[in-house]
Amino acid sequence: FTVKVINPMVINYTFKDGTVGTSYSDFVTVSGGTAPYTWTYTGTLPKGLRGTYSGNRQTLSGTPTKAGTYDFTLTVKDSNGNKATKSFTVKVIAPMYINYTFKDGSVGTSYSDFVTVSGGTAPYTWTYTGTLPKGLRGTYSGNRQTLSGTPKKAGTYTFTLTVKDSNGNKATKSFTVKVIAPLYINYTLKNGRVGTSYSDYVTVSGGTAPYTWTYTGTLPKGLRGTYSGNKMTLAGTPTKAGTYTFKLTVKDSNGSKLTKSFTVQIVSSTDPISESQSDKSSKEEASDIELSDGKTPLQKVDDTLPSGEDTANFTPSVILSVESDDIVETYEGKDSDMVKVKADTPLHFIVNVSDVIVYVDEKAVDDITVSPEGKFTLPAEIVHDDFKVSAKSGELESEELFIIAE
């Protein structure tokens, strides 16, 4: 006689979890018993997956179509009628997706915003490539990535976030965050004389157009305020001598506000116009610039003005920037910030004063027209290589912008 003693039947391994939309294949085997084997199952297989068998192997494959937890039982029977049974639980996870986007910010204004990842399996690992806005820092907790701090430099910043879960699945999303220069009302208003035609203006820089202007207080009799874009003009013919105090408030399209106080002295037709009032006005108003909550100063003009300057029209500094739509990328260079733009394309600039001379590589450019709103364009034939741009107004000069054209 020959007697065979057969090992008991055992189903080996278990099935891994899957992700919606990601190809799946895994298997279990049976050991012991006597081939051939017959496989059956009870319960619910993950949607999109199908079981197939070959010999002692049962394979589960396909592409999961619905997230959830699926329970089922496999039973295998050998040629002698022996059986083995094992229960399984397979989780199908939703695909990873980074939700939301980041809002834009303003220089000098506290910033905090976040994105989250859904799907995948915690814990998550976050990384970024590109350039974060100057002054902001990324931190993460669980499925949330937070960007916070106080922006220090205006510009357009592009970066990419990648999140990886514990199973090695990844999700990637690119972001563009614009940091806007703070609202700043430039210049002050000169004094006037009864019966003499008067016209003067102030402008706003920073913020996001369009702007809305309002005033409170008393305008000089005979003068009227009008605005166009970023310029507020006070014009007319004064009819009554006196000292008039009023406040101008400008609001941009994002709801940021800025208020500045003005005092305009109108003298009689025979009296000389006092310039001391202009000095006082220019110095005092510099400290009136504040956020709409009245707490955080945005910018303050140095109290010591250059001697011999007409302080009624004194410009604290010349600020030159490239319009955001023209910027491909910004990053810090060795001596100054650099701006990458497209080559052979007209390049648009914004400057906070309209009476300027434009220099390219320290050479004045002829035939450049600066609009009353402080905008000008360099023609396409100039934008074909690396160069430097600056602007001068009297004795004041902007910082050089290093342009990289590609």
Side-chain angles (χ1 to χ4, degrees):
F1 298 93
T2 298
V3 177
K4 291 183 178 180
V5 178
I6 303 166
N7 287 324
M9 297 175 67
V10 177
I11 297 177
N12 307 288
Y13 319 133
T14 190
F15 289 106
K16 66 185 178 182
D17 293 335
T19 302
V20 171
T22 301
S23 181
Y24 179 99
S25 183
D26 202 6
F27 67 89
V28 295
T29 62
V30 63
S31 58
T34 303
Y37 302 98
T38 303
W39 295 82
T40 58
Y41 84 91
T42 57
T44 305
L45 295 181
K47 305 296 181 184
L49 300 189
R50 179 173 175 265
T52 56
Y53 71 90
S54 176
N56 73 329
R57 175 183 288 195
Q58 172 74 50
T59 300
L60 191 60
S61 62
T63 301
T65 59
K66 186 176 181 179
T69 301
Y70 298 87
D71 297 308
F72 55 95
T73 299
L74 285 181
T75 299
V76 60
K77 184 177 179 181
D78 76 350
S79 59
N80 294 321
N82 297 309
K83 292 183 180 180
T85 299
K86 188 173 182 179
S87 294
F88 299 89
T89 296
V90 173
K91 292 181 179 180
V92 176
I93 304 162
M96 295 177 69
Y97 183 76
I98 298 177
N99 308 284
Y100 320 131
T101 191
F102 289 107
K103 64 186 178 182
D104 293 336
S106 298
V107 172
T109 300
S110 180
Y111 178 101
S112 182
D113 201 6
F114 67 90
V115 296
T116 62
V117 63
S118 56
T121 304
Y124 302 98
T125 302
W126 295 82
T127 56
Y128 86 92
T129 56
T131 304
L132 296 181
K134 308 298 182 185
L136 300 189
R137 178 173 176 264
T139 57
Y140 72 90
S141 176
N143 73 328
R144 175 183 288 197
Q145 171 76 49
T146 299
L147 192 62
S148 60
T150 301
K152 295 181 179 179
K153 187 175 181 63
T156 300
Y157 299 86
T158 300
F159 55 95
T160 298
L161 285 180
T162 298
V163 59
K164 184 177 179 181
D165 75 352
S166 58
N167 293 322
N169 297 310
K170 292 182 180 181
T172 299
K173 188 173 181 180
S174 294
F175 300 88
T176 297
V177 174
K178 292 182 179 179
V179 176
I180 303 163
L183 284 168
Y184 181 73
I185 295 178
N186 306 284
Y187 322 128
T188 188
L189 294 168
K190 64 185 178 182
N191 296 325
R193 185 192 305 276
V194 172
T196 300
S197 179
Y198 178 101
S199 181
D200 201 5
Y201 67 90
V202 295
T203 63
V204 64
S205 57
T208 304
Y211 304 99
T212 303
W213 295 82
T214 56
Y215 84 92
T216 56
T218 304
L219 296 181
K221 304 298 182 184
L223 301 188
R224 180 172 176 265
T226 58
Y227 71 89
S228 175
N230 73 328
K231 178 186 282 191
M232 166 64 80
T233 300
L234 189 63
T237 301
T239 60
K240 186 177 180 179
T243 300
Y244 299 86
T245 300
F246 53 94
K247 291 183 179 181
L248 286 179
T249 297
V250 62
K251 182 178 179 181
D252 76 352
S253 59
N254 293 323
S256 297
K257 289 182 180 180
L258 178 65
T259 298
K260 185 175 181 180
S261 297
F262 296 87
T263 298
V264 174
Q265 186 181 46
I266 303 298
V267 300
S268 67
S269 58
T270 58
D271 290 339
I273 298 176
S274 171
E275 296 297 335
S276 62
Q277 180 61 40
S278 298
D279 291 339
K280 179 175 182 291
S281 175
S282 180
K283 293 179 182 179
E284 291 183 350
E285 266 103 75
S287 61
D288 289 337
I289 303 169
E290 59 186 29
L291 292 175
S292 56
D293 61 9
K295 295 179 180 178
T296 308
L298 294 180
Q299 186 173 353
K300 185 174 181 179
V301 180
D302 193 315
D303 282 345
T304 306
L305 301 181
S307 60
E309 290 283 348
D310 178 5
T311 56
N313 291 289
F314 176 72
T315 307
S317 60
V318 179
I319 303 171
L320 178 67
S321 62
V322 179
E323 286 197 354
S324 59
D325 291 342
D326 290 344
I327 296 174
V328 175
E329 186 178 358
T330 60
Y331 53 93
E332 287 193 353
K334 181 179 179 181
D335 301 314
S336 181
D337 286 347
M338 297 185 181
V339 180
K340 183 187 290 185
V341 300
K342 293 181 179 179
D344 303 317
T345 303
L347 187 57
H348 307 284
F349 291 82
I350 303 174
V351 65
N352 64 332
V353 290
S354 57
D355 183 18
V356 296
I357 300 173
V358 178
Y359 291 81
V360 172
D361 290 332
E362 301 179 359
K363 182 179 179 181
V365 182
D366 297 327
D367 301 325
I368 293 293
T369 301
V370 181
S371 72
E373 292 78 23
K375 296 184 178 183
F376 66 90
T377 300
L378 290 182
E381 56 266 25
I382 292 180
V383 190
H384 69 281
D385 204 347
D386 299 350
F387 58 96
K388 296 181 291 185
V389 181
S390 62
K392 290 184 180 180
S393 177
E395 299 297 322
L396 300 173
E397 183 175 5
S398 70
E399 290 185 353
E400 289 185 324
L401 279 176
F402 289 76
I403 307 297
I404 302 174
E406 294 188 350

